[in-house]
Amino acid sequence: VGYMITLPPGHSDEAMATKKSAGWKHVAAGGMAGASEIVIMYPTEFVKTQMQLQRKTATPKFANSFDCARKIVAEKGVLALYRGLTSLLVGTVPKTSLRFGVFGKIKEAFKDDKGVLTSGRTLVAGMATGLVEATLVVTPVETMKTVLIADQNSAKPKYNGLLHGVRSIIAEKGLLGVYKGWAPTAAKQMGNQGIRFTTYEAIKNSMRPAGEGGALHPTQLMLAGGAAGFISVVLTMPFDVVKTRMQGLDAAMYEGTVDCVRKVYTSEGITAFWKGMAARLPRVVFGQSITLAGYDVFMRLLNKIA
């Protein structure tokens, strides 16, 4: 069911890469592309998280995402926008490597004898990829990033950095302490990857003249990745907000995912589930453009030198 995502045998970007590349190249290219994207886009992720952690009050500290960035830079300097970067960067290489590796394996398994992959199967492959990365990498990394950012906002910060934070949380709450918010994180990642890969493949397919294959120009890949990122943000933002609330320092006020959704809706209204979207949109749209185009560029480079 659904439109077909396919190219003449041996002419797709994936097929061309697979013929020339060993598996480690996909892992390396994905890791380098992900690291590049994180370093470039992290300030928007920081601001988004700050906005989501801010509960509704009569006199909020930040009026909007731009006001948040301006005040933080004025109070603590530009480097303050990179607080928590280490935790996200440490998880980036395995996450992006895992993402491209898992999706590629599942996608190949889902193709029929003619190499045809339907939109429905692409969606399932993307969602399965999201579930795997949420469980193995994203949840603990996102938990530590959120905790470190929230801790910075307190009068007397408890943690001196990533390693101290991890050790303290595990000592206090056990290993499950870094897995707070797994359910909304898994839902968010499944939605993200399912929507992104399906949309990305469809847009790439539409960019090629009918009946023609061949690799797309990096600019085209960036446009396709950005469009896929935009759509995924709008549809999955509520999962991101709930995930952030359940991973913050005030997570104890929620009994679980459903209770968090109910309390946020009751106290702040439906629009609260899209808090921080102004900061997340450029983060994801440009981030996906950088990651996908970067992956393609790094793969071409690795294929030339190894």
Side-chain angles (χ1 to χ4, degrees), residues 98 130-145 147 166 169-170 173-186 242-243 246-248 251 256-257:
L98 184 70
L131 178 61
V132 172
E133 68 178 16
T135 303
L136 298 182
V137 179
V138 179
T139 300
V141 169
E142 288 285 319
T143 295
M144 291 312 305
K145 180 209 70 175
V147 166
V166 172
I169 289 175
I170 292 178
K173 305 174 182 178
L175 186 60
L176 291 180
V178 296
Y179 271 89
K180 288 193 297 184
W182 173 82
T185 301
V242 173
K243 180 263 309 176
M246 291 188 67
Q247 292 174 335
T257 302

PDB file of all heavy atoms in Angstrom, residues 98 130-145 147 166 169-170 173-186 242-243 246-248 251 256-257:
ATOM      1  N   LEU A  98      24.152   4.547  14.591  1.00  0.00           N
ATOM      2  CA  LEU A  98      23.123   3.533  14.809  1.00  0.00           C
ATOM      3  C   LEU A  98      21.931   3.782  13.895  1.00  0.00           C
ATOM      4  O   LEU A  98      21.381   2.857  13.292  1.00  0.00           O
ATOM      5  CB  LEU A  98      22.693   3.564  16.277  1.00  0.00           C
ATOM      6  CG  LEU A  98      21.686   2.515  16.729  1.00  0.00           C
ATOM      7  CD1 LEU A  98      22.333   1.132  16.745  1.00  0.00           C
ATOM      8  CD2 LEU A  98      21.169   2.860  18.133  1.00  0.00           C
ATOM      9  N   GLY A 130      13.776   4.498  15.155  1.00  0.00           N
ATOM     10  CA  GLY A 130      13.586   5.440  16.252  1.00  0.00           C
ATOM     11  C   GLY A 130      13.480   4.758  17.595  1.00  0.00           C
ATOM     12  O   GLY A 130      14.002   5.241  18.602  1.00  0.00           O
ATOM     13  N   LEU A 131      12.801   3.617  17.643  1.00  0.00           N
ATOM     14  CA  LEU A 131      12.653   2.873  18.895  1.00  0.00           C
ATOM     15  C   LEU A 131      14.001   2.358  19.389  1.00  0.00           C
ATOM     16  O   LEU A 131      14.314   2.447  20.588  1.00  0.00           O
ATOM     17  CB  LEU A 131      11.690   1.700  18.691  1.00  0.00           C
ATOM     18  CG  LEU A 131      11.465   0.788  19.909  1.00  0.00           C
ATOM     19  CD1 LEU A 131      10.863   1.577  21.064  1.00  0.00           C
ATOM     20  CD2 LEU A 131      10.563  -0.392  19.533  1.00  0.00           C
ATOM     21  N   VAL A 132      14.796   1.839  18.470  1.00  0.00           N
ATOM     22  CA  VAL A 132      16.109   1.315  18.845  1.00  0.00           C
ATOM     23  C   VAL A 132      17.011   2.424  19.374  1.00  0.00           C
ATOM     24  O   VAL A 132      17.643   2.287  20.424  1.00  0.00           O
ATOM     25  CB  VAL A 132      16.788   0.614  17.639  1.00  0.00           C
ATOM     26  CG1 VAL A 132      18.225   0.238  17.973  1.00  0.00           C
ATOM     27  CG2 VAL A 132      16.008  -0.636  17.244  1.00  0.00           C
ATOM     28  N   GLU A 133      17.079   3.540  18.667  1.00  0.00           N
ATOM     29  CA  GLU A 133      17.988   4.604  19.096  1.00  0.00           C
ATOM     30  C   GLU A 133      17.499   5.278  20.376  1.00  0.00           C
ATOM     31  O   GLU A 133      18.308   5.723  21.195  1.00  0.00           O
ATOM     32  CB  GLU A 133      18.201   5.631  17.992  1.00  0.00           C
ATOM     33  CG  GLU A 133      17.004   6.480  17.645  1.00  0.00           C
ATOM     34  CD  GLU A 133      17.322   7.516  16.565  1.00  0.00           C
ATOM     35  OE1 GLU A 133      18.366   7.380  15.888  1.00  0.00           O
ATOM     36  OE2 GLU A 133      16.535   8.456  16.406  1.00  0.00           O
ATOM     37  N   ALA A 134      16.188   5.345  20.583  1.00  0.00           N
ATOM     38  CA  ALA A 134      15.651   5.932  21.813  1.00  0.00           C
ATOM     39  C   ALA A 134      16.045   5.098  23.019  1.00  0.00           C
ATOM     40  O   ALA A 134      16.366   5.635  24.085  1.00  0.00           O
ATOM     41  CB  ALA A 134      14.128   6.041  21.725  1.00  0.00           C
ATOM     42  N   THR A 135      16.016   3.792  22.859  1.00  0.00           N
ATOM     43  CA  THR A 135      16.315   2.886  23.965  1.00  0.00           C
ATOM     44  C   THR A 135      17.809   2.807  24.265  1.00  0.00           C
ATOM     45  O   THR A 135      18.214   2.830  25.431  1.00  0.00           O
ATOM     46  CB  THR A 135      15.777   1.478  23.653  1.00  0.00           C
ATOM     47  OG1 THR A 135      14.367   1.556  23.403  1.00  0.00           O
ATOM     48  CG2 THR A 135      16.030   0.528  24.816  1.00  0.00           C
ATOM     49  N   LEU A 136      18.621   2.728  23.239  1.00  0.00           N
ATOM     50  CA  LEU A 136      20.051   2.521  23.439  1.00  0.00           C
ATOM     51  C   LEU A 136      20.845   3.801  23.695  1.00  0.00           C
ATOM     52  O   LEU A 136      21.854   3.776  24.408  1.00  0.00           O
ATOM     53  CB  LEU A 136      20.646   1.788  22.240  1.00  0.00           C
ATOM     54  CG  LEU A 136      20.096   0.380  21.962  1.00  0.00           C
ATOM     55  CD1 LEU A 136      20.810  -0.230  20.769  1.00  0.00           C
ATOM     56  CD2 LEU A 136      20.245  -0.515  23.191  1.00  0.00           C
ATOM     57  N   VAL A 137      20.396   4.919  23.108  1.00  0.00           N
ATOM     58  CA  VAL A 137      21.213   6.133  23.181  1.00  0.00           C
ATOM     59  C   VAL A 137      20.449   7.383  23.622  1.00  0.00           C
ATOM     60  O   VAL A 137      20.849   8.077  24.558  1.00  0.00           O
ATOM     61  CB  VAL A 137      21.876   6.417  21.808  1.00  0.00           C
ATOM     62  CG1 VAL A 137      22.709   7.692  21.878  1.00  0.00           C
ATOM     63  CG2 VAL A 137      22.731   5.248  21.362  1.00  0.00           C
ATOM     64  N   VAL A 138      19.356   7.686  22.937  1.00  0.00           N
ATOM     65  CA  VAL A 138      18.735   9.006  23.075  1.00  0.00           C
ATOM     66  C   VAL A 138      18.224   9.304  24.479  1.00  0.00           C
ATOM     67  O   VAL A 138      18.447  10.399  25.007  1.00  0.00           O
ATOM     68  CB  VAL A 138      17.582   9.170  22.058  1.00  0.00           C
ATOM     69  CG1 VAL A 138      16.924  10.540  22.221  1.00  0.00           C
ATOM     70  CG2 VAL A 138      18.114   9.015  20.643  1.00  0.00           C
ATOM     71  N   THR A 139      17.526   8.352  25.115  1.00  0.00           N
ATOM     72  CA  THR A 139      16.938   8.641  26.425  1.00  0.00           C
ATOM     73  C   THR A 139      17.981   9.033  27.474  1.00  0.00           C
ATOM     74  O   THR A 139      17.840  10.086  28.115  1.00  0.00           O
ATOM     75  CB  THR A 139      16.105   7.446  26.927  1.00  0.00           C
ATOM     76  OG1 THR A 139      15.051   7.192  25.991  1.00  0.00           O
ATOM     77  CG2 THR A 139      15.486   7.758  28.289  1.00  0.00           C
ATOM     78  N   PRO A 140      19.039   8.245  27.700  1.00  0.00           N
ATOM     79  CA  PRO A 140      20.019   8.675  28.701  1.00  0.00           C
ATOM     80  C   PRO A 140      20.728   9.975  28.338  1.00  0.00           C
ATOM     81  O   PRO A 140      21.000  10.808  29.205  1.00  0.00           O
ATOM     82  CB  PRO A 140      21.004   7.500  28.776  1.00  0.00           C
ATOM     83  CG  PRO A 140      20.785   6.716  27.533  1.00  0.00           C
ATOM     84  CD  PRO A 140      19.357   6.891  27.177  1.00  0.00           C
ATOM     85  N   VAL A 141      21.019  10.176  27.058  1.00  0.00           N
ATOM     86  CA  VAL A 141      21.698  11.401  26.630  1.00  0.00           C
ATOM     87  C   VAL A 141      20.795  12.619  26.837  1.00  0.00           C
ATOM     88  O   VAL A 141      21.219  13.653  27.364  1.00  0.00           O
ATOM     89  CB  VAL A 141      22.119  11.294  25.154  1.00  0.00           C
ATOM     90  CG1 VAL A 141      22.571  12.659  24.614  1.00  0.00           C
ATOM     91  CG2 VAL A 141      23.248  10.291  24.994  1.00  0.00           C
ATOM     92  N   GLU A 142      19.528  12.504  26.435  1.00  0.00           N
ATOM     93  CA  GLU A 142      18.594  13.609  26.592  1.00  0.00           C
ATOM     94  C   GLU A 142      18.308  13.892  28.070  1.00  0.00           C
ATOM     95  O   GLU A 142      18.142  15.045  28.473  1.00  0.00           O
ATOM     96  CB  GLU A 142      17.286  13.293  25.860  1.00  0.00           C
ATOM     97  CG  GLU A 142      17.391  13.338  24.355  1.00  0.00           C
ATOM     98  CD  GLU A 142      17.457  14.760  23.823  1.00  0.00           C
ATOM     99  OE1 GLU A 142      16.724  15.623  24.331  1.00  0.00           O
ATOM    100  OE2 GLU A 142      18.250  15.008  22.901  1.00  0.00           O
ATOM    101  N   THR A 143      18.257  12.847  28.876  1.00  0.00           N
ATOM    102  CA  THR A 143      18.031  13.037  30.311  1.00  0.00           C
ATOM    103  C   THR A 143      19.152  13.871  30.915  1.00  0.00           C
ATOM    104  O   THR A 143      18.901  14.842  31.647  1.00  0.00           O
ATOM    105  CB  THR A 143      17.961  11.679  31.040  1.00  0.00           C
ATOM    106  OG1 THR A 143      16.813  10.959  30.572  1.00  0.00           O
ATOM    107  CG2 THR A 143      17.829  11.883  32.550  1.00  0.00           C
ATOM    108  N   MET A 144      20.389  13.536  30.615  1.00  0.00           N
ATOM    109  CA  MET A 144      21.516  14.266  31.179  1.00  0.00           C
ATOM    110  C   MET A 144      21.585  15.691  30.640  1.00  0.00           C
ATOM    111  O   MET A 144      21.900  16.628  31.386  1.00  0.00           O
ATOM    112  CB  MET A 144      22.823  13.529  30.890  1.00  0.00           C
ATOM    113  CG  MET A 144      22.979  12.216  31.640  1.00  0.00           C
ATOM    114  SD  MET A 144      22.599  12.374  33.417  1.00  0.00           S
ATOM    115  CE  MET A 144      23.707  13.708  33.919  1.00  0.00           C
ATOM    116  N   LYS A 145      21.284  15.872  29.381  1.00  0.00           N
ATOM    117  CA  LYS A 145      21.283  17.223  28.818  1.00  0.00           C
ATOM    118  C   LYS A 145      20.259  18.095  29.520  1.00  0.00           C
ATOM    119  O   LYS A 145      20.541  19.228  29.934  1.00  0.00           O
ATOM    120  CB  LYS A 145      20.965  17.170  27.318  1.00  0.00           C
ATOM    121  CG  LYS A 145      20.938  18.532  26.641  1.00  0.00           C
ATOM    122  CD  LYS A 145      19.996  18.547  25.451  1.00  0.00           C
ATOM    123  CE  LYS A 145      18.549  18.472  25.890  1.00  0.00           C
ATOM    124  NZ  LYS A 145      17.607  18.594  24.747  1.00  0.00           N
ATOM    125  N   VAL A 147      18.817  17.618  32.521  1.00  0.00           N
ATOM    126  CA  VAL A 147      19.158  17.795  33.935  1.00  0.00           C
ATOM    127  C   VAL A 147      20.237  18.865  34.102  1.00  0.00           C
ATOM    128  O   VAL A 147      20.152  19.724  34.986  1.00  0.00           O
ATOM    129  CB  VAL A 147      19.634  16.461  34.545  1.00  0.00           C
ATOM    130  CG1 VAL A 147      20.302  16.703  35.901  1.00  0.00           C
ATOM    131  CG2 VAL A 147      18.463  15.520  34.713  1.00  0.00           C
ATOM    132  N   VAL A 166      26.225  12.292  35.960  1.00  0.00           N
ATOM    133  CA  VAL A 166      25.895  10.884  35.739  1.00  0.00           C
ATOM    134  C   VAL A 166      26.145  10.060  36.996  1.00  0.00           C
ATOM    135  O   VAL A 166      25.296   9.261  37.417  1.00  0.00           O
ATOM    136  CB  VAL A 166      26.711  10.309  34.558  1.00  0.00           C
ATOM    137  CG1 VAL A 166      26.516   8.800  34.465  1.00  0.00           C
ATOM    138  CG2 VAL A 166      26.301  10.974  33.256  1.00  0.00           C
ATOM    139  N   ILE A 169      23.496  10.906  39.778  1.00  0.00           N
ATOM    140  CA  ILE A 169      22.138  10.417  39.505  1.00  0.00           C
ATOM    141  C   ILE A 169      22.070   8.902  39.662  1.00  0.00           C
ATOM    142  O   ILE A 169      21.124   8.364  40.249  1.00  0.00           O
ATOM    143  CB  ILE A 169      21.698  10.844  38.091  1.00  0.00           C
ATOM    144  CG1 ILE A 169      21.445  12.347  38.066  1.00  0.00           C
ATOM    145  CG2 ILE A 169      20.427  10.089  37.672  1.00  0.00           C
ATOM    146  CD1 ILE A 169      21.113  12.894  36.707  1.00  0.00           C
ATOM    147  N   ILE A 170      23.063   8.192  39.147  1.00  0.00           N
ATOM    148  CA  ILE A 170      23.072   6.731  39.274  1.00  0.00           C
ATOM    149  C   ILE A 170      23.217   6.328  40.738  1.00  0.00           C
ATOM    150  O   ILE A 170      22.587   5.364  41.198  1.00  0.00           O
ATOM    151  CB  ILE A 170      24.198   6.112  38.430  1.00  0.00           C
ATOM    152  CG1 ILE A 170      23.892   6.314  36.937  1.00  0.00           C
ATOM    153  CG2 ILE A 170      24.365   4.625  38.743  1.00  0.00           C
ATOM    154  CD1 ILE A 170      24.953   5.776  36.004  1.00  0.00           C
ATOM    155  N   LYS A 173      19.626   7.287  42.276  1.00  0.00           N
ATOM    156  CA  LYS A 173      18.404   6.684  41.738  1.00  0.00           C
ATOM    157  C   LYS A 173      18.626   5.379  40.968  1.00  0.00           C
ATOM    158  O   LYS A 173      17.669   4.777  40.491  1.00  0.00           O
ATOM    159  CB  LYS A 173      17.698   7.686  40.825  1.00  0.00           C
ATOM    160  CG  LYS A 173      17.397   9.020  41.501  1.00  0.00           C
ATOM    161  CD  LYS A 173      16.824  10.022  40.528  1.00  0.00           C
ATOM    162  CE  LYS A 173      16.569  11.364  41.192  1.00  0.00           C
ATOM    163  NZ  LYS A 173      16.042  12.363  40.232  1.00  0.00           N
ATOM    164  N   GLY A 174      19.882   4.965  40.837  1.00  0.00           N
ATOM    165  CA  GLY A 174      20.164   3.768  40.071  1.00  0.00           C
ATOM    166  C   GLY A 174      20.228   4.066  38.583  1.00  0.00           C
ATOM    167  O   GLY A 174      20.022   5.201  38.147  1.00  0.00           O
ATOM    168  N   LEU A 175      20.489   3.028  37.790  1.00  0.00           N
ATOM    169  CA  LEU A 175      20.623   3.197  36.348  1.00  0.00           C
ATOM    170  C   LEU A 175      19.356   3.749  35.707  1.00  0.00           C
ATOM    171  O   LEU A 175      19.414   4.506  34.730  1.00  0.00           O
ATOM    172  CB  LEU A 175      20.989   1.853  35.698  1.00  0.00           C
ATOM    173  CG  LEU A 175      21.313   1.879  34.202  1.00  0.00           C
ATOM    174  CD1 LEU A 175      22.503   2.807  33.938  1.00  0.00           C
ATOM    175  CD2 LEU A 175      21.604   0.481  33.694  1.00  0.00           C
ATOM    176  N   LEU A 176      18.190   3.398  36.276  1.00  0.00           N
ATOM    177  CA  LEU A 176      16.929   3.884  35.720  1.00  0.00           C
ATOM    178  C   LEU A 176      16.784   5.394  35.860  1.00  0.00           C
ATOM    179  O   LEU A 176      15.935   6.010  35.214  1.00  0.00           O
ATOM    180  CB  LEU A 176      15.748   3.182  36.400  1.00  0.00           C
ATOM    181  CG  LEU A 176      15.586   1.689  36.095  1.00  0.00           C
ATOM    182  CD1 LEU A 176      14.379   1.125  36.837  1.00  0.00           C
ATOM    183  CD2 LEU A 176      15.427   1.452  34.588  1.00  0.00           C
ATOM    184  N   GLY A 177      17.626   5.997  36.691  1.00  0.00           N
ATOM    185  CA  GLY A 177      17.573   7.436  36.855  1.00  0.00           C
ATOM    186  C   GLY A 177      17.896   8.192  35.581  1.00  0.00           C
ATOM    187  O   GLY A 177      17.435   9.321  35.381  1.00  0.00           O
ATOM    188  N   VAL A 178      18.703   7.597  34.712  1.00  0.00           N
ATOM    189  CA  VAL A 178      19.034   8.251  33.444  1.00  0.00           C
ATOM    190  C   VAL A 178      18.080   7.807  32.332  1.00  0.00           C
ATOM    191  O   VAL A 178      18.287   8.132  31.162  1.00  0.00           O
ATOM    192  CB  VAL A 178      20.496   7.966  33.024  1.00  0.00           C
ATOM    193  CG1 VAL A 178      21.455   8.564  34.031  1.00  0.00           C
ATOM    194  CG2 VAL A 178      20.740   6.475  32.844  1.00  0.00           C
ATOM    195  N   TYR A 179      17.046   7.053  32.688  1.00  0.00           N
ATOM    196  CA  TYR A 179      16.046   6.619  31.712  1.00  0.00           C
ATOM    197  C   TYR A 179      14.671   7.228  31.994  1.00  0.00           C
ATOM    198  O   TYR A 179      13.652   6.698  31.557  1.00  0.00           O
ATOM    199  CB  TYR A 179      15.948   5.089  31.676  1.00  0.00           C
ATOM    200  CG  TYR A 179      16.907   4.476  30.681  1.00  0.00           C
ATOM    201  CD1 TYR A 179      18.203   4.127  31.061  1.00  0.00           C
ATOM    202  CD2 TYR A 179      16.541   4.298  29.354  1.00  0.00           C
ATOM    203  CE1 TYR A 179      19.100   3.602  30.151  1.00  0.00           C
ATOM    204  CE2 TYR A 179      17.426   3.776  28.435  1.00  0.00           C
ATOM    205  CZ  TYR A 179      18.707   3.424  28.832  1.00  0.00           C
ATOM    206  OH  TYR A 179      19.600   2.910  27.917  1.00  0.00           O
ATOM    207  N   LYS A 180      14.658   8.345  32.709  1.00  0.00           N
ATOM    208  CA  LYS A 180      13.393   9.031  32.942  1.00  0.00           C
ATOM    209  C   LYS A 180      12.840   9.541  31.613  1.00  0.00           C
ATOM    210  O   LYS A 180      13.572  10.064  30.790  1.00  0.00           O
ATOM    211  CB  LYS A 180      13.589  10.208  33.912  1.00  0.00           C
ATOM    212  CG  LYS A 180      13.838   9.797  35.337  1.00  0.00           C
ATOM    213  CD  LYS A 180      13.713  10.963  36.304  1.00  0.00           C
ATOM    214  CE  LYS A 180      14.728  12.034  36.041  1.00  0.00           C
ATOM    215  NZ  LYS A 180      14.657  13.116  37.055  1.00  0.00           N
ATOM    216  N   GLY A 181      11.545   9.371  31.432  1.00  0.00           N
ATOM    217  CA  GLY A 181      10.926   9.857  30.203  1.00  0.00           C
ATOM    218  C   GLY A 181      11.154   8.975  28.997  1.00  0.00           C
ATOM    219  O   GLY A 181      11.061   9.440  27.853  1.00  0.00           O
ATOM    220  N   TRP A 182      11.430   7.667  29.240  1.00  0.00           N
ATOM    221  CA  TRP A 182      11.688   6.781  28.093  1.00  0.00           C
ATOM    222  C   TRP A 182      10.483   6.705  27.154  1.00  0.00           C
ATOM    223  O   TRP A 182      10.648   6.762  25.929  1.00  0.00           O
ATOM    224  CB  TRP A 182      12.031   5.369  28.579  1.00  0.00           C
ATOM    225  CG  TRP A 182      12.142   4.390  27.434  1.00  0.00           C
ATOM    226  CD1 TRP A 182      13.214   4.181  26.624  1.00  0.00           C
ATOM    227  CD2 TRP A 182      11.097   3.538  26.934  1.00  0.00           C
ATOM    228  NE1 TRP A 182      12.931   3.241  25.666  1.00  0.00           N
ATOM    229  CE2 TRP A 182      11.623   2.825  25.824  1.00  0.00           C
ATOM    230  CE3 TRP A 182       9.775   3.298  27.320  1.00  0.00           C
ATOM    231  CZ2 TRP A 182      10.877   1.904  25.107  1.00  0.00           C
ATOM    232  CZ3 TRP A 182       9.016   2.378  26.588  1.00  0.00           C
ATOM    233  CH2 TRP A 182       9.578   1.696  25.504  1.00  0.00           C
ATOM    234  N   ALA A 183       9.277   6.579  27.711  1.00  0.00           N
ATOM    235  CA  ALA A 183       8.085   6.411  26.868  1.00  0.00           C
ATOM    236  C   ALA A 183       7.879   7.576  25.901  1.00  0.00           C
ATOM    237  O   ALA A 183       7.740   7.361  24.686  1.00  0.00           O
ATOM    238  CB  ALA A 183       6.847   6.190  27.734  1.00  0.00           C
ATOM    239  N   PRO A 184       7.839   8.839  26.384  1.00  0.00           N
ATOM    240  CA  PRO A 184       7.671   9.939  25.425  1.00  0.00           C
ATOM    241  C   PRO A 184       8.868  10.105  24.500  1.00  0.00           C
ATOM    242  O   PRO A 184       8.718  10.533  23.353  1.00  0.00           O
ATOM    243  CB  PRO A 184       7.476  11.171  26.324  1.00  0.00           C
ATOM    244  CG  PRO A 184       8.067  10.792  27.633  1.00  0.00           C
ATOM    245  CD  PRO A 184       7.804   9.321  27.777  1.00  0.00           C
ATOM    246  N   THR A 185      10.058   9.759  24.990  1.00  0.00           N
ATOM    247  CA  THR A 185      11.244   9.842  24.129  1.00  0.00           C
ATOM    248  C   THR A 185      11.148   8.832  22.996  1.00  0.00           C
ATOM    249  O   THR A 185      11.440   9.144  21.831  1.00  0.00           O
ATOM    250  CB  THR A 185      12.530   9.581  24.940  1.00  0.00           C
ATOM    251  OG1 THR A 185      12.637  10.542  25.992  1.00  0.00           O
ATOM    252  CG2 THR A 185      13.764   9.689  24.050  1.00  0.00           C
ATOM    253  N   ALA A 186      10.729   7.601  23.327  1.00  0.00           N
ATOM    254  CA  ALA A 186      10.567   6.568  22.300  1.00  0.00           C
ATOM    255  C   ALA A 186       9.493   6.975  21.295  1.00  0.00           C
ATOM    256  O   ALA A 186       9.668   6.815  20.079  1.00  0.00           O
ATOM    257  CB  ALA A 186      10.204   5.236  22.959  1.00  0.00           C
ATOM    258  N   VAL A 242       6.643  16.850  26.557  1.00  0.00           N
ATOM    259  CA  VAL A 242       6.401  15.908  27.655  1.00  0.00           C
ATOM    260  C   VAL A 242       7.698  15.239  28.075  1.00  0.00           C
ATOM    261  O   VAL A 242       7.986  15.079  29.275  1.00  0.00           O
ATOM    262  CB  VAL A 242       5.355  14.842  27.243  1.00  0.00           C
ATOM    263  CG1 VAL A 242       5.230  13.767  28.324  1.00  0.00           C
ATOM    264  CG2 VAL A 242       4.008  15.506  27.003  1.00  0.00           C
ATOM    265  N   LYS A 243       8.517  14.858  27.114  1.00  0.00           N
ATOM    266  CA  LYS A 243       9.811  14.242  27.404  1.00  0.00           C
ATOM    267  C   LYS A 243      10.687  15.163  28.240  1.00  0.00           C
ATOM    268  O   LYS A 243      11.290  14.750  29.233  1.00  0.00           O
ATOM    269  CB  LYS A 243      10.497  13.889  26.087  1.00  0.00           C
ATOM    270  CG  LYS A 243      11.854  13.239  26.198  1.00  0.00           C
ATOM    271  CD  LYS A 243      13.016  14.189  26.058  1.00  0.00           C
ATOM    272  CE  LYS A 243      12.992  15.080  24.878  1.00  0.00           C
ATOM    273  NZ  LYS A 243      14.125  16.053  24.868  1.00  0.00           N
ATOM    274  N   MET A 246       9.442  15.521  31.887  1.00  0.00           N
ATOM    275  CA  MET A 246       9.657  14.321  32.696  1.00  0.00           C
ATOM    276  C   MET A 246      11.132  14.058  32.989  1.00  0.00           C
ATOM    277  O   MET A 246      11.461  13.270  33.868  1.00  0.00           O
ATOM    278  CB  MET A 246       9.036  13.111  32.002  1.00  0.00           C
ATOM    279  CG  MET A 246       7.521  13.165  31.978  1.00  0.00           C
ATOM    280  SD  MET A 246       6.805  11.630  31.374  1.00  0.00           S
ATOM    281  CE  MET A 246       7.260  10.510  32.699  1.00  0.00           C
ATOM    282  N   GLN A 247      12.012  14.737  32.269  1.00  0.00           N
ATOM    283  CA  GLN A 247      13.443  14.560  32.501  1.00  0.00           C
ATOM    284  C   GLN A 247      14.062  15.693  33.310  1.00  0.00           C
ATOM    285  O   GLN A 247      15.212  15.612  33.709  1.00  0.00           O
ATOM    286  CB  GLN A 247      14.171  14.439  31.152  1.00  0.00           C
ATOM    287  CG  GLN A 247      13.842  13.160  30.409  1.00  0.00           C
ATOM    288  CD  GLN A 247      14.448  13.110  29.018  1.00  0.00           C
ATOM    289  OE1 GLN A 247      14.721  14.149  28.405  1.00  0.00           O
ATOM    290  NE2 GLN A 247      14.653  11.908  28.501  1.00  0.00           N
ATOM    291  N   GLY A 248      13.290  16.767  33.576  1.00  0.00           N
ATOM    292  CA  GLY A 248      13.809  17.908  34.317  1.00  0.00           C
ATOM    293  C   GLY A 248      13.923  17.634  35.810  1.00  0.00           C
ATOM    294  O   GLY A 248      13.539  16.573  36.309  1.00  0.00           O
ATOM    295  N   ALA A 251      10.754  16.600  37.735  1.00  0.00           N
ATOM    296  CA  ALA A 251      10.059  15.435  37.173  1.00  0.00           C
ATOM    297  C   ALA A 251       9.253  14.675  38.218  1.00  0.00           C
ATOM    298  O   ALA A 251       8.279  13.986  37.885  1.00  0.00           O
ATOM    299  CB  ALA A 251      11.061  14.491  36.518  1.00  0.00           C
ATOM    300  N   GLY A 256       3.737   9.843  35.826  1.00  0.00           N
ATOM    301  CA  GLY A 256       4.019   9.084  34.609  1.00  0.00           C
ATOM    302  C   GLY A 256       3.702   9.937  33.396  1.00  0.00           C
ATOM    303  O   GLY A 256       3.346  11.123  33.515  1.00  0.00           O
ATOM    304  N   THR A 257       3.818   9.343  32.210  1.00  0.00           N
ATOM    305  CA  THR A 257       3.609  10.085  30.969  1.00  0.00           C
ATOM    306  C   THR A 257       2.200  10.655  30.865  1.00  0.00           C
ATOM    307  O   THR A 257       2.015  11.837  30.554  1.00  0.00           O
ATOM    308  CB  THR A 257       3.880   9.168  29.759  1.00  0.00           C
ATOM    309  OG1 THR A 257       5.218   8.656  29.840  1.00  0.00           O
ATOM    310  CG2 THR A 257       3.711   9.940  28.454  1.00  0.00           C
TER     311      THR A 257
END
